[in-house]
Amino acid sequence: MIREIVTYPNKLLKTRSKSVEQFDQTLHTLLDDMYETMINKNGIGLAAIQVAEPICALIINLPDEDDKQKKEDLLELINPEIIEMEGSTIYKEGCLSVPQYYEDVQRAEWVRVRYCDRFGKQYEMECDELLAIAVQHEMDHLKGELFIEKLSYLKRKKFEKEWKKRLKEKK
Ligand code: Y12
Ligand code: CO
């Protein structure tokens, strides 16, 4: 089922998500719905809070070298923790909760993440390039943070002005 995506400035996006304790059918249905919702909106990553579920669950589905998003490449990270990070990189990020806005964000270039799959089995994964960025972006959602909070003062001011104008035009 496709769920509604919570968009900025909805305060729900500021929620600190809670750890998952039950790896049950409710979680599996949420993850399946998140995948359907993300693909429907041409996204490559989504956190549960973006569909109004404040739990530590996120999905990432990066396109392959032919620019195709394959379900077999889908990553589901439950209760993720970054246990090591190195380097620094800048990437122009976008977010389904802040549609049609992209801006450069600085993040670690490499991270090691510990997480559980949908059945509660624990794994560790090393991430670089786009995956490292996606993992950090999605994990920020679990802390109630958006990429726009990482912008410089001036860029943030410009964003707020543009966003207010856009919301007015929508009315
Ligand atoms: C690198 C940087 C950021 C991430 C986080 C995941 N971000 C996304 O999946 C963003 C997708 C996105 C898609 C949009 O398209 C539609 O809504 C149809 C969009 O809005 C438009 O451009 C119209 C904005 C963002 C992972 C890796
Ligand atoms: Co996002």
Side-chain angles (χ1 to χ4, degrees):
M1 184 183 82
I2 292 171
R3 302 200 189 192
E4 198 176 322
I5 294 188
V6 179
T7 56
Y8 182 79
N10 190 317
K11 286 203 166 59
L12 251 189
L13 293 167
K14 289 185 167 291
T15 311
R16 242 180 195 278
S17 292
K18 294 235 160 36
S19 280
V20 172
E21 273 158 25
Q22 310 283 342
F23 294 83
D24 56 9
Q25 188 55 50
T26 306
L27 173 69
H28 297 178
T29 302
L30 170 64
L31 290 166
D32 293 343
D33 288 355
M34 284 169 62
Y35 176 73
E36 227 186 298
T37 306
M38 179 185 74
I39 293 299
N40 176 257
K41 291 277 185 192
N42 296 322
I44 56 173
L46 192 72
I49 191 60
Q50 293 179 273
V51 291
E53 295 288 348
I55 63 163
C56 291
L58 64 89
I59 61 168
I60 293 171
N61 193 203
L62 300 183
D64 64 13
E65 54 282 357
D66 300 321
D67 217 26
K68 292 229 161 67
Q69 256 176 312
K70 296 205 234 83
K71 186 152 190 198
E72 68 226 51
D73 297 329
L74 175 66
L75 291 168
E76 296 177 337
L77 275 63
I78 317 302
N79 299 339
E81 298 167 69
I82 292 180
I83 52 175
E84 266 183 86
M85 54 166 72
E86 269 176 24
S88 174
T89 188
I90 293 176
Y91 189 83
K92 202 173 267 303
E93 297 189 11
C95 178
L96 287 175
S97 293
V98 192
Q100 285 171 295
Y101 181 77
Y102 299 87
E103 195 44 86
D104 282 348
V105 177
Q106 185 175 5
R107 298 197 184 269
E109 193 175 27
W110 177 93
V111 294
R112 187 192 300 278
V113 194
R114 185 177 292 151
Y115 66 99
C116 291
D117 69 8
R118 60 163 65 199
F119 304 103
K121 186 169 187 279
Q122 200 176 80
Y123 295 86
E124 275 183 25
M125 169 173 69
E126 285 184 33
C127 313
D128 61 6
E129 300 182 346
L130 190 57
L131 180 57
I133 292 156
V135 163
Q136 292 172 81
H137 175 112
E138 298 310 331
M139 284 186 66
D140 275 355
H141 279 294
L142 309 183
K143 294 182 276 179
E145 292 168 12
L146 292 174
F147 77 108
I148 50 169
E149 288 161 52
K150 298 197 179 294
L151 303 181
S152 69
Y153 177 79
L154 282 179
K155 277 188 176 165
R156 180 67 190 266
K157 276 253 180 208
K158 191 163 173 260
F159 163 79
E160 293 296 345
K161 206 173 158 189
E162 282 172 21
W163 204 258
K164 266 185 199 142
K165 190 168 166 243
R166 201 191 294 180
L167 290 179
K168 247 189 210 162
E169 283 164 4
K170 260 192 177 178
K171 275 183 194 165

